[in-house]
């Protein structure tokens, strides 16, 4: 029974498929049999052909912006170190005491009474120099303080002033007159007042040559000699002898009373002693 029903259903399906194919074939044949002609076209009219508009060029794409640099990631902050524990006051060593400041250095000073030796740069003569003239001398050796520090170096310049000067007028005057006073001393380009006594200056007496003018100073001696000779001899011969004797005495007297100049040559030694302390700045 079941087999019969299956066979009937299969036959129906085959029949249905055949009918469908026949319908499609009829439709296709009908479409081919139709006269598919286009409508007539008037070829006498001009063809209005125009060139198509040139298409506008497409704009170039703008370059892509460069990527912005990304900010570096911030470095992590270091973790604070744990604070060291406070030292125990009972066990911590006491801080060392600051050293006491040393004594301030004493200033350079040459005390009163310090001896100074100098050498004359200039010469002095009673024949050419006068009161008020200024001469110089240089320190011959370093002047030091009590600690041995140099206060006035050798070579420093001392300024001296002539306060009195006079030649020796006769042989009995063996010194003449010469007085000097200290004014200042120049140390490393700076000048300081100097108060010192001059204990000794190497000087000498230089005689001037006797000339007719010096003999004329004692010319009266010649006349007296002539008069005495005339009285004693009572004749011209006595007067001549007396004149000769008088002239000889006058010449000798001129030599004895001849002026001698006080001279201090350059390079002479000068000894000084400070009356007041000398403190260069």
């Amino acid at each position: 029974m079941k087999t019969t029903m299956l066979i009937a259903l299969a036959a129906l399906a085959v029949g249905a498929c055949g009918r469908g194919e026949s319908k499609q074939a009829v439709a296709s044949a009908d479409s081919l049999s139709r006269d598919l002609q286009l409508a007539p076209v008037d070829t006498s009219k001009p063809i209005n052909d125009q060139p198509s508009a040139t298409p506008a060029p497409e704009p170039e794409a703008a370059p892509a912006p460069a990527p912005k640099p990304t900010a570096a990631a911030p470095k992590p902050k270091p973790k604070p170190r744990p604070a060291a524990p406070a030292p125990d006051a009972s066990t911590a060593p006491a801080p060392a005491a600051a050293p006491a400041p040393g004594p301030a250095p004493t200033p350079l000073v040459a005390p009163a009474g310090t001896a100074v030796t100098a050498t004359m740069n200039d010469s002095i003569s009673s024949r050419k120099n006068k009161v008020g003239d200024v001469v110089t001398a240089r320190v011959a050796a370093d002047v030091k303080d009590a600690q041995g520090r140099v206060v006035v170096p050798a070579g420093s310049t001392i300024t001296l002033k002539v306060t009195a000067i006079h030649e020796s007028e006769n042989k009995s005057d063996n010194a003449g007159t010469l007085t000097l006073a200290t004014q200042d001393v120049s140390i490393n380009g700076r000048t300081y007042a100097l108060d010192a006594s001059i204990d000794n200056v190497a000087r000498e007496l230089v005689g001037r040559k006797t000339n007719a003018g010096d003999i004329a100073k004692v010319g009266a001696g010649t006349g007296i000699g002539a008069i005495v000779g005339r009285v004693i001899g009572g004749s011209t011969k006595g007067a001549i002898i007396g004149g000769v004797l008088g002239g000889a005495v006058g010449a000798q007297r001129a030599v004895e009373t001849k002026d001698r100049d006080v001279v201090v040559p350059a390079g002479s030694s000068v000894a000084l002693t400070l009356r007041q302390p000398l403190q260069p700045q």
Side-chain angles (χ1 to χ4, degrees):
M1 183 73 179
K2 291 181 179 179
T3 303
T4 305
M5 291 181 66
L6 291 173
I7 292 172
L9 290 174
L12 291 174
V14 171
C17 290
R19 287 192 299 267
E21 291 176 357
S22 61
K23 288 181 179 180
Q24 290 178 355
V26 172
S28 176
D30 183 55
S31 62
L32 291 174
S33 61
R34 292 180 183 179
D35 186 7
L36 299 177
Q37 294 183 356
L38 296 175
V41 179
D42 188 357
T43 58
S44 61
K45 292 183 179 180
I47 300 173
N48 189 15
D49 293 336
Q50 294 182 0
S52 60
T54 304
E58 295 182 359
E60 295 181 0
K68 295 183 179 179
T70 57
K75 295 181 180 180
K77 294 183 179 179
K79 295 181 180 180
R81 295 181 179 179
D88 188 357
S90 59
T91 59
T106 56
L108 288 174
V109 57
T114 301
V116 181
T117 303
T119 303
M120 291 296 300
N121 292 327
D122 305 313
S123 63
I124 304 173
S125 173
S126 58
R127 192 179 187 91
K128 66 182 181 67
N129 291 105
K130 61 184 182 301
V131 174
D133 287 350
V134 174
V135 294
T136 62
R138 65 181 179 276
V139 177
D142 292 340
V143 179
K144 301 179 180 180
D145 63 1
Q147 301 179 18
R149 298 176 300 174
V150 177
V151 181
V152 183
S156 301
T157 302
I158 296 176
T159 303
L160 305 170
K161 184 177 182 180
V162 178
T163 56
I165 188 169
H166 198 276
E167 67 274 8
S168 172
E169 295 182 347
N170 52 63
K171 285 188 175 181
S172 62
D173 182 5
N174 294 324
T177 302
L178 175 62
T179 305
L180 300 173
T182 58
Q183 286 190 314
D184 51 53
V185 58
S186 178
I187 302 174
N188 298 325
R190 300 187 65 179
T191 302
Y192 305 92
L194 179 64
D195 185 1
S197 61
I198 299 178
D199 304 324
N200 182 45
V201 179
R203 58 185 175 178
E204 57 189 39
L205 293 175
V206 178
R208 299 178 184 177
K209 294 181 180 180
T210 305
N211 52 37
D214 296 320
I215 297 175
K217 294 181 181 179
V218 291
T222 304
I224 293 172
I227 294 173
V228 171
R230 182 175 297 173
V231 171
I232 294 175
S235 64
T236 305
K237 185 178 180 179
I240 295 173
I241 295 173
V244 173
L245 292 175
V249 172
Q252 180 63 31
R253 181 63 179 166
V255 172
E256 291 180 354
T257 61
K258 178 64 178 174
D259 296 339
R260 292 184 295 171
D261 291 310
V262 180
V263 177
V264 178
S268 300
S269 177
V270 182
L272 306 91
T273 301
L274 297 182
R275 286 193 292 247
Q276 296 293 331
L278 176 61
Q279 182 178 353
Q281 300 298 326

